[in-house]
Amino acid sequence: HILSMQRGDGGFGLWNGYSDTDNFLSIYAIDVLQRAQTQGYDVPEYALNTALGWLFNQVKSSDFSTPVLHRRAYA
């Protein structure tokens, strides 16, 4: 179900892959997917790599600057 919320850019939306990306939700979803993979669940590599690419780009961008340091720390 989590992967059905993934957008084409690798981020995640609240309702489906076509809703706006929610930065904190995306970080949380990526964390869940990585933990699931570590526990042996089948997480498609392409979906996880796309999500991690999105995360890398977000952390580099100004969207994760001063007012939302908690987001940057979690990311």
Side-chain angles (χ1 to χ4, degrees), residues 4-22:
S4 71
M5 305 298 181
Q6 190 171 26
R7 297 172 36 86
D9 65 358
F12 292 82
L14 289 172
W15 304 112
N16 59 38
Y18 300 104
S19 62
D20 291 338
T21 298
D22 181 287

Side-chain angles (χ1 to χ4, degrees), residues 2-50:
I2 293 172
L3 292 176
S4 71
M5 305 298 181
Q6 190 171 26
R7 297 172 36 86
D9 65 358
F12 292 82
L14 289 172
W15 304 112
N16 59 38
Y18 300 104
S19 62
D20 291 338
T21 298
D22 181 287
N23 288 343
F24 191 76
L25 173 69
S26 295
I27 296 166
Y28 185 71
I30 294 166
D31 186 24
V32 169
L33 291 174
Q34 285 185 306
R35 290 172 188 253
Q37 186 180 53
T38 300
Q39 294 296 315
Y41 290 92
D42 184 28
V43 177
E45 286 294 323
Y46 178 78
L48 188 54
N49 288 339
T50 303

